[in-house]
Amino acid sequence: MDYEALGLKAGIEIHQQLDTEEKLFCRCPTVLRDTEERSGEFFRYLRATESELGEIDRAAQEEMKLVRRFRYYTYDTVCLVEHDEEPPAPMNREALAVCLTIAKMLGMTPIEQVHTMRKLVIDGSNTSGFQRTALVALNGALPDGCQIETICLEEEAAQRVADETFSLDRLGVPLVEITTAPCMHTPEDVQRVAEYIGMVLRSTGRVKRGLGTIRQDINVSIRDGARVEIKGVQDLGLLAEAVRLEVQRQVNLLAIRDELCARNASVDPNPVDVTDIFAATKSAILQKAKCILAIRLPGFAGLVGREIQPGRRLGSEMADYARKCGVGGIFHTDELPAYGVTAEEVERLRERVGAAGEDCVVLVASTRQRAGCAAEQVLIRARMALAGVPEETRRMLEGGGTAYMRPLPGAARMYPETDVFPITIGKALWESIEVPELLTARAERFVAEHGLDPALARQVAFSERLPLFERMVAAGVRPTLAARTILATMRELARDGVQVERIADDEVLYLLEAVEAGRAAKEAVPDLLAELARMGARGPPATPDQSRERVDAAIEKVAPAVSQEEVEAIVRRVLQEREKFARQRGMAALGPLMGVVMKDLRGSADGKLVSDVLKRELQRLLS
Amino acid sequence: MRCTCAGLTLAGTYITERDGMAVVKLDSGYNIGISFSNVGWLERPSPPPAVTTPVVVQDSALPEISIISTGGTIASRVDYRTGAVTSQFSASDILRAIPELGSIGRYRTRQVASILSENMLPAIWQELARAVYEEIGRGVAGVIVTHGTDTMSYSAAAVSFMVRTPVPVVFVGSQRSADRPSSDNAMNALCSAAAATSPLGEVAVVMHDTTSDDRCAVHRATRVRKMHTSRRDAFRSMGMPPIGYVDYPSLKVELADEAVRRGTEEPELREALEERCGLLYFHPGMPADVLDPFEGYAGLVLAGTGLGHVRTGWIPRLRELIAGGTTVVMTSQCLHGRVCDRVYDTGRDLLSIGVIEGEDMLPEVALVKLMWVLGQEGDPDAIRELVQANLRGEIRRRSHDGL
């Protein structure tokens, strides 16, 4: 597809959790919990509040179509603020500092006085019914010139456990939201920008890592299309694909619109009750429905069933809208007869509503009230098809496709959080913010300073164990040994089923110090780490001293260091046993004999020492 | 208006001044504070469009409920342009905010005051009592009083002493502001309306019973206390279980046997109060001269330690106060349990100088009651008898175990 010709414009919003001690508006730790560990639960109803203009935010109102009861899981790491039972504490200054650091790295200008707002969110993910958010800085730029419009500091929402059940551990974790201008014009641009911003964020060393700690929203539009926001893309690898599929969807919707216009298609605003036609149907859904309404869409035949994204049709979009009323989905004549509905029933249906050959008929089935609501929604979506692409917030499906979630939120959903005082970002505060080295710059430095291979240097710089690497190098451990241990050795052990996450950073540091001091052999490192992981089952070491003790105990158990004299003794014994072989092969016996000796030592001695001794003794034997 | 910020020109609406900065609402909805020198005025903000609120038609077949407002918000509206939250008083506004109320009753509304509850005055209690009495006289099925939660229990107790009522008089408020989608206002209001049309026949407080939206408790006005600064279920009945519950969302009302039933009392208003009364919270080391300002007071309630004590050194000064005509009533900081000044010497000394044991009355209720008793009676013996008598459920004849 020629994206430029299509006029693709894309922007992204990146949401990144910060790794602070405490949450944004209370003093709870920012730890995630297993739902099994919950200490209790409670439930609430949320209702949209009316604004001065007598309007309820359209996104909020849409969510209100279903009256829902939300259940919340709570933990001993959660307090009354997350319960919406206590006013918020002042804004967490640590989180603000991290946010300002990121703003500075992106060349942004801070707001003079930061005001916290309440953004209405009544999908249950916030106990209060709003999310606290503050605009912190404006107008930055990426190296390629793309403008960063805003950075906001906000509280993370509660995690959805199932349907209407949420877990409060995540609620209130500080989050930065970085919004770019719609400055990207190809799907690959989007991916690249997201990767770059992700790298900047990780360069601070103050952001959370792992699945779900960073999420991207994408804004996509094409010429004559509409701005569509795709929520919560967690997998960076899917970004470009999501953009491609959204462009495809908009192109197809525009093609459908053109065809509808050509056919002079319209929407019959009066749904017809056809419950009686299906009194004896074999379709279980229609059979048990108290009310079945039919919506006639003149000129829509064949188009409701037309694919607009892999596995999704215009009918899927109508079904998404109808589901807001609590129905399971819709039927339409482009896909009937099927699902137990017979050709004869379709014929009677068409006859009843007066549908001509080029008309499509959509069915909704539920209680009278829900069916009425769903029919209204189908009409709304059908009218939108005549106009082209509706502005929407959509959610990501597996594989990069999307489904309708809610209308784009209006500005009507924000009002001040009066319980939090504004914070002035003075010159002194802004100037005190230090800009950390970018990870890419750090990788280059590792190549220059430590002579690391560029690929390895990049791996180290982007690794979660980067701080450990830097500590080890500072303590005198050879950079290659340090890098290989945390990147290669530990990964291989993990692959073999060793629980490396039980090994404390301190233990790795002391172990490699012991290697450098000659107290343990480099070759024994994997076995020693495995032993430390076993010890870790008792719980993490409480103090640095305990870490040292564990490392010493592991060396004692797995590979007690062997003295040079002992090495020499073993080498002489091996040579004696294989004297004939040695004499036959001469110095070429060095390699095979080395293997025998090392096996004997079980990695308890440094390979270089063994090799030196063996070489010397072999030469003496041969001379 | 436009402002320049970060090298950008932004459009927004001027909201207010804060700490020397202009607070501007950007078109994105965010507020920012910026120096006035960066602000340029384009046009005067147009006044907000007049809100046309359709009048909600009420169901004339339903029982009539009177809503009397003192300043607590039962319904409110947010101006998203300025963030201002305004309380709504008219029946139409309330019904638009909480439509479910419309299927419980039809409403008339009346505003007695519009104050934060910490600014409540005994004079407003009296005005409130008159309003409640008048509404009862109009034949309503029940009265709802919306009230800030801070001093709601004082007002409820005061009305309880001043008005004899055959119908429910229900105090209600909210702990979480009405502008938020999670506010407890709607559920509390619905439960209070259910209680106001129930077989109840006394003054009560109806508020959340738990942190969940599952039921409200109906508390006797003279036994209820706000026991938490912020939780929804802050109101607790002290020394007795609640006199009822309202299940949510079914709104089914369940009353305890002890709850006074509708029609038990004849309406009567006795609004006189003696305002020269005080409540003093004793602490170790508190000097006797803190009593000096109470010279000339008609009544003084002491919140003493434990069984009802103040330091021995206070006895001479208290004797003088009592001799000067001040009625002194002892209550306990423990809140739970009964005062007994016959166990220790200090207590016996206090009794001997004429301090009255306040039984198991809550200190705040004892204060309100003393104001009312002194407003009705002048004779010291009659005063003592009334203070120690159970008039409106404020004194329990038997103490139940447990907290």
Side-chain angles (χ1 to χ4, degrees), chain A residues 62-323:
Chain A
E62 177 99 6
E63 283 154 9
M64 280 295 285
K65 284 214 170 85
L66 292 171
V67 176
R68 288 188 292 181
R69 196 177 96 135
F70 300 108
R71 179 186 301 277
Y72 297 100
Y73 288 166
T74 184
Y75 305 86
D76 55 6
T77 47
V78 156
C79 73
L80 290 185
V81 173
E82 291 97 325
H83 289 201
D84 187 45
E85 286 279 41
E86 186 175 294
M91 183 188 276
N92 179 345
R93 289 289 180 150
E94 184 194 2
L96 179 63
V98 178
C99 182
L100 288 172
T101 304
I102 296 164
K104 210 167 185 176
M105 292 171 84
L106 294 171
M108 307 180 81
T109 307
I111 298 292
E112 289 175 78
Q113 192 185 49
V114 171
H115 288 252
T116 301
M117 308 296 290
R118 297 170 172 174
K119 190 198 282 183
L120 280 186
V121 180
I122 54 171
D123 64 359
S125 63
N126 289 72
T127 45
S128 55
F130 52 73
Q131 178 188 31
R132 296 186 183 92
T133 174
L135 177 58
V136 173
L138 289 170
N139 198 22
L142 295 178
D144 69 0
C146 179
Q147 189 206 2
I148 304 287
E149 290 182 343
T150 56
I151 183 167
C152 296
L153 182 56
E154 41 188 50
E155 50 183 3
E156 176 67 286
Q159 172 95 46
R160 195 187 291 270
V161 178
D163 304 331
E164 266 118 55
T165 302
F166 293 87
S167 182
L168 293 182
D169 48 344
R170 204 182 70 178
L171 179 62
V173 170
L175 189 77
V176 290
E177 182 203 70
I178 297 168
T179 307
T180 73
C183 55
M184 290 149 251
H185 303 289
T186 67
E188 293 71 32
D189 278 352
V190 174
Q191 184 109 12
R192 207 166 43 239
V193 166
E195 277 167 9
Y196 180 81
I197 295 175
M199 185 276 291
V200 170
L201 291 169
R202 289 198 299 278
S203 296
T204 62
R206 307 287 296 281
V207 301
K208 296 236 185 243
R209 306 283 290 256
L211 193 70
T213 57
I214 184 164
R215 297 189 299 276
Q216 283 90 8
D217 295 351
I218 328 170
N219 279 299
V220 185
S221 68
I222 60 171
R223 191 172 307 113
D224 298 331
R227 186 163 84 87
V228 164
E229 182 175 308
I230 302 170
K231 278 285 196 201
V233 186
Q234 293 200 7
D235 186 347
L236 206 59
L238 272 179
L239 274 179
E241 185 62 8
V243 176
R244 277 182 216 115
L245 291 175
E246 177 55 25
V247 172
Q248 184 188 14
R249 197 183 68 94
Q250 297 201 11
V251 166
N252 286 330
L253 285 174
L254 290 174
I256 288 177
R257 176 198 64 181
D258 292 345
E259 188 151 354
L260 288 170
C261 285
R263 293 185 191 176
N264 206 10
S266 63
V267 173
D268 180 343
N270 302 310
V272 178
D273 190 323
V274 294
T275 318
D276 58 305
I277 294 180
F278 298 94
T281 184
K282 293 215 164 59
S283 157
I285 296 170
L286 294 179
Q287 223 266 309
K288 68 170 192 229
K290 289 200 183 72
C291 174
I292 304 170
L293 296 179
I295 302 107
R296 188 173 68 99
L297 302 175
F300 274 70
L303 297 178
V304 177
R306 182 186 282 184
E307 196 171 75
I308 51 172
Q309 257 187 354
R312 287 190 57 88
R313 290 143 227 289
L314 177 57
S316 325
E317 304 281 315
M318 291 176 176
D320 289 343
Y321 275 70
R323 279 192 198 99

Side-chain angles (χ1 to χ4, degrees), chain B residues 27 44 153 171 229 239 307 320 334-335 348:
Chain B
D27 289 346
R44 215 146 256 301
S153 61
F171 280 72
T229 56
L307 282 167
E320 285 168 25
C334 296
L335 304 178
R348 286 189 280 264

Side-chain angles (χ1 to χ4, degrees), chain A residues 30 117 161 181 296 316 319 355 363 378 460 568 597:
Chain A
T30 60
M117 308 296 290
V161 178
R296 188 173 68 99
S316 325
L363 293 178
V378 169
V460 173
E568 283 166 355
V597 175

Side-chain angles (χ1 to χ4, degrees), chain B residues 36-357:
Chain B
F36 276 97
S37 56
N38 290 330
V39 177
W41 305 96
L42 281 184
E43 56 185 306
R44 215 146 256 301
S46 53
V51 185
T52 49
T53 50
V55 174
V56 178
V57 181
Q58 305 202 42
D59 185 344
S60 59
L62 291 172
E64 189 175 36
I65 301 173
S66 174
I67 301 179
I68 302 177
S69 155
T70 66
T73 53
I74 196 163
S76 66
R77 195 181 273 164
V78 185
D79 180 352
Y80 287 95
R81 301 195 311 166
T82 62
V85 178
T86 46
S87 297
Q88 302 297 309
F89 298 120
S90 84
S92 269
D93 286 337
I94 291 170
L95 283 168
R96 269 157 45 79
I98 312 171
E100 302 97 303
L101 280 172
S103 56
I104 304 172
R106 62 201 154 92
Y107 302 85
R108 32 182 285 110
T109 56
R110 174 166 181 166
Q111 190 172 347
V112 164
S114 179
I115 53 168
L116 297 167
S117 82
E118 59 270 31
N119 295 331
M120 184 51 76
L121 298 169
I124 305 177
W125 295 340
Q126 290 172 309
E127 222 178 300
L128 178 61
R130 281 191 290 273
V132 168
Y133 179 74
E134 280 169 24
E135 293 302 313
I136 295 168
R138 295 180 59 95
V140 296
V143 179
I144 294 173
V145 180
T146 69
H147 200 291
T149 56
D150 275 14
T151 66
M152 186 195 287
S153 61
Y154 288 85
S155 299
V159 169
S160 188
F161 288 112
M162 291 188 281
V163 182
R164 283 184 183 269
T165 175
V167 301
V169 176
V170 180
F171 280 72
V172 69
S174 64
Q175 282 282 82
R176 313 302 296 144
S177 60
D179 58 82
R180 61 180 69 208
S182 62
S183 175
D184 52 337
N185 72 320
M187 175 177 146
N188 289 348
L190 288 165
C191 290
S192 71
T197 51
S198 76
L200 185 70
E202 61 177 305
V203 184
V205 167
V206 172
M207 293 284 286
H208 260 66
D209 185 47
T210 74
T211 194
S212 286
D213 289 342
D214 55 359
R215 67 174 182 179
C216 280
V218 182
H219 303 280
R220 176 160 285 162
T222 52
R223 294 297 323 176
V224 66
R225 201 165 189 282
K226 185 177 183 180
M227 295 301 283
H228 197 277
T229 56
S230 58
R231 284 177 61 128
R232 288 166 172 72
D233 54 358
F235 282 82
R236 312 308 297 176
S237 281
M238 306 294 286
M240 71 180 292
I243 53 172
Y245 293 100
V246 184
D247 189 64
Y248 187 82
S250 75
L251 299 181
K252 200 170 157 287
V253 180
E254 221 180 289
L255 293 179
D257 290 344
E258 199 181 337
V260 179
R261 294 307 200 266
R262 185 181 283 276
T264 308
E265 302 264 8
E266 286 299 316
E268 186 187 305
L269 175 67
R270 290 172 71 182
E271 66 200 296
L273 289 179
E274 172 52 81
E275 286 193 36
R276 292 174 306 139
C277 288
L279 169 58
L280 188 60
Y281 199 100
F282 170 80
H283 65 76
M286 189 183 246
D289 53 21
V290 301
L291 291 168
D292 292 354
F294 293 101
E295 182 87 54
Y297 265 51
L300 175 63
V301 175
L302 296 172
T305 57
L307 282 167
H309 300 127
V310 289
R311 62 193 295 191
T312 320
W314 276 27
I315 300 221
R317 192 70 193 88
L318 280 173
R319 181 187 287 121
E320 285 168 25
L321 272 184
I322 294 167
T326 307
T327 302
V328 179
V329 178
M330 180 62 75
T331 60
S332 174
Q333 296 169 9
C334 296
L335 304 178
H336 290 279
R338 194 175 299 271
V339 162
C340 181
D341 280 314
R342 289 147 282 155
V343 180
Y344 297 102
D345 280 348
T346 310
R348 286 189 280 264
D349 291 346
L350 287 167
L351 288 182
S352 71
I353 61 168
V355 170
I356 303 170
E357 288 171 312

